[in-house]
Amino acid sequence: MHLLTVDTLEEAQNKIYAYLAKNPLKTEKVALSSAFQYILAEDIHAPFSVPHFRRSIVDGYAVNSLDTVGIGESIPCFLKILGKVEMGEENTYAINRGECVYVPTGGMIPGGADAMVMLEYTEKFSENEIACYQNVKHNQYVVEIGEDIAEKSPVLKKGTVLRPHEIGVLASLGMGEVLVYAKPKVAIISLGDEIIQAGQALTPGKIYDINTFGLYTQAVKFGFAVHSCYHIKDDRQVIYDVLKKAVHDVDIVCVSGGSSQGEKDFTANLLGEISTTGVLTHGIAVKPGKPTITAYNEDLHCLLLGLPGHPVAAMLLFELLAVEVYKKIWNVPQPVLVAAKMACNFPGADGRLTCQLVELERNENSYTAKPIFGKSGVISSLAKAQGYILVDMNSEGVKKDEQVLVHLL
Amino acid sequence: MHLLTVDTLEEAQNKIYAYLAKNPLKTEKVALSSAFQYILAEDIHAPFSVPHFRRSIVDGYAVNSLDTVGIGESIPCFLKILGKVEMGEENTYAINRGECVYVPTGGMIPGGADAMVMLEYTEKFSENEIACYQNVKHNQYVVEIGEDIAEKSPVLKKGTVLRPHEIGVLASLGMGEVLVYAKPKVAIISLGDEIIQAGQALTPGKIYDINTFGLYTQAVKFGFAVHSCYHIKDDRQVIYDVLKKAVHDVDIVCVSGGSSQGEKDFTANLLGEISTTGVLTHGIAVKPGKPTITAYNEDLHCLLLGLPGHPVAAMLLFELLAVEVYKKIWNVPQPVLVAAKMACNFPGADGRLTCQLVELERNENSYTAKPIFGKSGVISSLAKAQGYILVDMNSEGVKKDEQVLVHLL
């Protein structure tokens, strides 16, 4: 039997990082409306000031604020209306003391005016005169040029994940498309004579393919693009041929299944052959996930992952090895985790990083994390879990009521 | 000026709910690989036991546990090997006392065996005999039929949001496709003579269209399907014609922009005309978001939303009115929020539900929420915020260090 020299998660990640980081990062331009969840591949600076003209934030009259000094509900001042500016139009008026111009919300403030009086606090006296009952200060209800964002100032950093709000920011800067990191292309290969596909009859000894669907969706969730899925029976030549093809097509090949020791060695040998580096990691100190294999093909810039057959472990290791290393390369900030109190004592696994699925229970303004236990736990635990905690390999575990951070699934 | 009778958020939601709930819910079958983030439209019960045969969770020999009583590292027992079961095959062996069968991880346990001995604790003596050094208990390393999920037991509830883990669960049950709620179709209509599109020159008074992109992405994020986007200048007939068409095409029409009082009345009148209910809500006690309009067309089952021009408010009100009401109808559980400590005192807005954007700062195992202030705050606040808190209309606000729950953006 082959003796595994087990890597820590960090060692395994660093080996992958060292190879991935040598490659130029692939980027592409995407239309802003399609950019959701892509990662920004350029620093964005404001190409112009926002707002780029003095803007009103109320409906009313642009005035010289000095005209409103000392006035109030019972002591109005009277102002001559020079005219009205329409939305989207340049305001070419210039007012003097005692004059005003009607400006709608979002409209441009005319020259000579330094504040807005709200419509509610005015009364129209005649076609071209108002009584104004509001004392306004310099700049009141006016947004100055660049007050929101100064021209050339930094707005969004390279590595930002684009959510609706960032898309809104980019839209405000007039960007119709944006430079993002290309989604890494993934091939998913499920091995095993016991695996059958939906629609096929379930006979004793067989199980339905879980990992193809779990990994497919995990890849989509994290912004990777699934290029192809294969289900192959345990035939060395066929597996070799598929691997040889896949390594040309994609950035990451994920092989899963082959859960017996013999099959794992077999997968390791094949991945080693297909790579240029040989097997980098064979065995990783993560629970679950020990039988994980990594290798790299430098000529084709392709990461080769041999993932565990256990679906929870396969999905987790895809996240920890592929997603986390790409995020590090792209400089993506750590996502927000959910702080929760541990519902009970939870022991660490000596010498291994433990990834424990948890249920989250809300109690008014806080959460409790309850570990999901179970011998096999594969399917039923998946349906219950809302997240997972990572318990460090050198930790003695987590005590009841201790604060933990939960990664959401 | 039209006097607004302002609804609370709950009143506005309930009015929409009352109409939406009358319609039969639209469902569709989607392939499991495309089901990510859809909402399950049926309760799922296990069509068979999982596992559906007695399965080994280790590589080794299936034995009668009684044969291993009293044995250990220095006192082996000797067992006759009847044969080997291959992955995916039915195990037709039946063992007696003193006999064993080789079974790989995931393989089927033969009749007569009630436990597995791990390969590491055995030594092969001859072609058909092993020495076994492991004392195993009844059922050790064996998953019984239905031990994970019993046949016919409930697995996933209607209303579940499908993440990678649920997709894995459905795959394990042999489901190639799944019944989900059809994505509500959305039309986004941006009004305003001041709005220009990317590529157009930015002249004084004009601003780039933010809401189309913000709402588009917000809709996609929450699992709605954007059917069409229109940008229309302020021409009553054109707006009427577009509305009249959109109401036939989609489930939700979102009109945004028209931020001045006159334009808002204009939008309200048009939405009222296009609806069968007349305007349901005109003005809502949410900060920001007051100038929000709702109406409903009962013949075409179409929700009409007049959203504020302010991008933060438009995106928020889309979430609070369209997304939240649909979630209630679909019975989707509340998402996990992020518990955090408030960084400073924050006053509530008297008589209005306040939605306050916050930055989250991590300190080891907990988070602090820092409100993002600013006069206009539109663009720069969007780029900084990671979430928002809701401060109840009757609350006096939140005190420094008080625990709050943050909705992630």
Side-chain angles (χ1 to χ4, degrees), chain A residues 1 32-34 36-37 48-50 52-53 55 57 59 87-90 102 104-106 108 119-120 139-143 147-149 155-156 162-169 171-176 193-194 198-199 202-210 213-214 216-218 220-221 259-264 312 315 334-339 357 360 362 364-367 375-387 402-405 408-409, chain B residues 1 32-34 36-37 48-50 52-53 55 57 59 87-90 102 104-106 108 119-120 139-143 147-149 155-156 162-169 171-176 193-194 198-199 202-210 213-214 216-218 220-221 234 259-264 312 315 334-339 357 360 362 364-367 375-387 402-405 408-409:
Chain A
M1 199 190 302
L32 197 57
S33 55
S34 311
F36 179 51
Q37 280 187 326
F48 48 80
S49 295
V50 177
H52 73 113
F53 56 88
R55 254 185 115 179
I57 56 172
D59 290 344
M87 286 302 288
E89 273 187 8
E90 181 161 7
Y102 178 80
T105 306
M108 183 169 172
L119 194 59
E120 296 88 310
N139 249 351
Q140 196 160 350
Y141 305 128
V142 170
V143 187
E147 187 177 332
D148 196 350
I149 306 178
V155 181
L156 290 175
L162 298 175
R163 305 161 306 165
H165 284 70
E166 280 88 12
I167 303 274
V169 171
S172 76
L173 302 178
M175 299 181 67
D193 290 339
E194 78 278 23
L202 190 64
T203 53
K206 306 282 190 204
I207 56 165
Y208 285 112
D209 182 4
I210 304 177
F213 293 95
Y216 187 105
T217 318
Q218 188 80 327
V220 170
K221 174 184 164 185
S259 48
S260 73
Q261 189 57 51
E263 286 167 325
K264 278 179 296 208
V312 176
M315 285 193 244
Q334 167 99 336
V336 175
L337 308 177
V338 173
L357 293 175
L360 283 168
R362 181 172 158 186
E364 213 165 330
N365 282 351
S366 65
Y367 284 93
K375 181 169 22 177
S376 61
V378 179
I379 308 308
S380 45
S381 67
L382 278 176
K384 267 190 247 165
Q386 278 153 312
E402 206 176 310
Q403 188 90 341
V404 290
L405 289 178
L408 291 180
L409 291 175
Chain B
M1 199 189 303
L32 197 56
S33 55
S34 311
F36 180 51
Q37 280 187 327
F48 49 79
S49 295
V50 177
H52 73 113
F53 58 87
R55 254 186 115 178
I57 56 171
D59 290 343
M87 285 302 289
E89 274 188 7
E90 181 162 7
Y102 179 80
T105 306
M108 183 169 173
L119 195 60
E120 296 88 310
N139 249 352
Q140 196 161 350
Y141 305 128
V142 170
V143 187
E147 188 177 332
D148 195 351
I149 306 178
V155 181
L156 290 175
L162 298 175
R163 305 161 306 165
H165 284 69
E166 280 88 11
I167 304 273
V169 171
S172 76
L173 302 177
M175 299 180 67
D193 291 340
E194 77 278 23
L202 189 64
T203 52
K206 305 283 189 203
I207 56 165
Y208 285 111
D209 182 4
I210 305 178
F213 293 95
Y216 187 104
T217 318
Q218 189 80 328
V220 170
K221 174 184 164 184
D234 279 340
S259 48
S260 73
Q261 190 56 51
E263 287 168 324
K264 278 180 296 208
V312 176
M315 285 193 245
Q334 168 100 339
V336 175
L337 308 177
V338 173
L357 292 175
L360 283 168
R362 181 172 159 186
E364 213 165 332
N365 283 350
S366 64
Y367 284 93
K375 181 169 20 176
S376 61
V378 179
I379 307 309
S380 45
S381 68
L382 277 176
K384 266 190 247 166
Q386 278 152 311
E402 207 177 311
Q403 187 90 341
V404 290
L405 288 178
L408 291 179
L409 291 176

Side-chain angles (χ1 to χ4, degrees), chain B residues 274-327:
Chain B
I274 295 288
S275 74
T276 57
T277 61
V279 167
L280 298 170
T281 296
H282 190 180
I284 193 166
V286 176
K287 178 189 173 188
K290 198 177 172 201
T292 298
I293 302 149
T294 71
Y296 196 81
N297 186 308
E298 295 166 277
D299 301 330
L300 301 166
H301 307 306
C302 184
L303 172 62
L304 301 160
L305 294 179
L307 297 172
H310 187 303
V312 176
M315 285 193 245
L316 174 70
L317 269 294
F318 178 80
E319 184 178 344
L320 295 180
L321 295 177
V323 177
E324 287 300 320
V325 176
Y326 265 97
K327 276 188 174 174

Side-chain angles (χ1 to χ4, degrees), chain B residues 340-375:
Chain B
K341 263 190 184 169
M342 204 65 181
C344 59
N345 291 331
F346 180 79
D350 211 22
R352 286 200 282 168
L353 175 75
T354 303
C355 169
Q356 176 59 44
L357 292 175
V358 296
E359 276 181 275
L360 283 168
E361 215 169 80
R362 181 172 159 186
N363 345 290
E364 213 165 332
N365 283 350
S366 64
Y367 284 93
T368 305
K370 224 168 94 186
I372 298 172
F373 296 111
K375 181 169 20 176

Side-chain angles (χ1 to χ4, degrees), chain A residues 347-362:
Chain A
D350 211 22
R352 287 200 281 168
L353 176 75
T354 303
C355 169
Q356 176 59 44
L357 293 175
V358 296
E359 277 182 274
L360 283 168
E361 215 168 82
R362 181 172 158 186

